[in-house]
Amino acid sequence: MPPKRRGAQLFMLALAVGIIMAAYASVGIGMDGQVPAGMLTYGLGLGVLMLIAYLVLAKFAPWADPLILPLVTLVNGIGLVMIYRIEQAPWRTGASATQQITWTAVGIVMFTVTLVVLRDHRLLQRFTYTAGALGVVLLILPLLPFIGREINGARIWINVGFSVQPGEFAKLALVVFFAGYLVAKRDVLALVGRRLLFIDLPRARDLGPILVIWGISVGILVLQKDLGTSLLLFGGFISMLYIATGRTAWVLIGLTLFVGGAFLAGQIFSHVGHRFEVWLNPESNEFYERAAGGSYQLMEGLFGLGSGGILGTGLGQGHPYRIPLAFSDFIFPATGEELGLTGLMALLMCYALIVERGLRTALAARDPFSKLLAGGLSFILAWQVFIIVGGVTNLIPLTGLVTPFMSQGGSALLANWILIALLVRMSDAARRPPPQAIQDEGLTQVMQR
């Protein structure tokens, strides 16, 4: 990377840390009229972590996209500030900024380790089916009787001395599997079939992969009561299938299967049906006053967004802690109350830029596996943001997914930092200049007897 661009990246990282510290100070001034006592300590700690990430990036991926790391730093930092804000509530909310800072540090360590160990991401293609098996095992783990745990109505956790959500890591393994599998099978999936009206339909024998993924997704929805992971997994597979084949028929078949499966599950299983009922009638007194599985949390989030308005109440001056799980599943509306629609649009723009840089990497990649992997990881990130924002604004049914890099929790944060490391590694390979010839072909000396 040219020295000027590397300097610009360092400047953007410093600017991101500066914005985070200004937000941190604003919380203290808004609540107590003074700057928080530990501001310099937290600021220096975050600055040192980001400097280490920058130096590792400069050493092991010098041609990587310079925008991705500063953007992720800014979003992660705003999440830390909001968790700290909610932790200062008049009553105990469960938020812990110290715990989240620790997970952020571990996430950056995972980011650097991935960059140092994985020098060539194309090695992952050799482990296509291993990654697929690993992803399925990780999804099944919460259903096991001794280590699986059910929290807030969803069985997506395991206890290994501490709680881990293996589905967050399963999505990475399954994206690697999808990319490797579709590279091998895309010609058959793209070219063979029959045309019906304006749609090229695939052969029945080629529907196997999409049926398997559909079965796994509906199984997660029913057995684990986890609509979010089910949507994320199926949407990721359909998007990568479309990227690999360019056939609209796969998208239509996928949407039809998923909507039909979700509708049937809602009719047969009560916990799935209740989720859809709450989505359609959140203002109903029956659902609002229901102790568990009702719409109280959703409506409090909507009230918070409404009271925030265009510019928000200001950091430290609202009441975001009134929303249940405002530090986790509902950190997006909690942020909206204090930063307003303007602040939320700025945050969504940061996510959009990260996804855009990932898709740009996919377009610039020189081999099919890299194109599919970068495209799949970018879509997974964008899809997750859409699912959580759509859920808390009642556009779609509420899911158990968390906002990437913002919500409190170690599993999601570590998995997303690894996802970013993979995108950075692929952007380095895509932007790296091709090797130059040592000498012109015309000057090659040919020896003859």
Side-chain angles (χ1 to χ4, degrees), residues 3 9 63 65 67 75 79 91 111 130 136 163 192 196 215 260 292 298 321 367 371:
Q9 185 185 33
W63 293 95
D65 192 304
L67 276 178
V75 176
W91 56 81
F111 171 83
T130 305
V136 173
S163 295
V192 182
L196 179 63
L298 174 62
Y321 44 82
D367 62 285
K371 286 181 181 295

Side-chain angles (χ1 to χ4, degrees), residues 301-314 332-350 389 393:
L302 293 175
F303 292 150
L305 286 174
S307 62
I310 299 296
L311 298 177
T313 60
F332 193 79
T335 306
E337 181 179 348
E338 298 212 326
L339 294 182
L341 181 63
T342 307
L344 291 186
M345 290 298 105
L347 272 175
L348 289 177
M349 185 59 70
C350 289
V389 174
T393 54

Side-chain angles (χ1 to χ4, degrees), residues 41 100 126 182 193 195 284 297 306 403:
T41 305
Q100 186 69 359
R126 299 180 185 176
L182 291 173
R195 192 172 183 82
S284 165
Q297 186 184 32
T403 311

Side-chain angles (χ1 to χ4, degrees), residues 282-305:
E283 70 283 355
S284 165
N285 286 334
E286 176 190 354
F287 298 130
Y288 184 78
E289 295 172 357
R290 183 179 290 175
S295 62
Y296 176 80
Q297 186 184 32
L298 174 62
M299 292 304 295
E300 287 297 313
L302 293 175
F303 292 150
L305 286 174

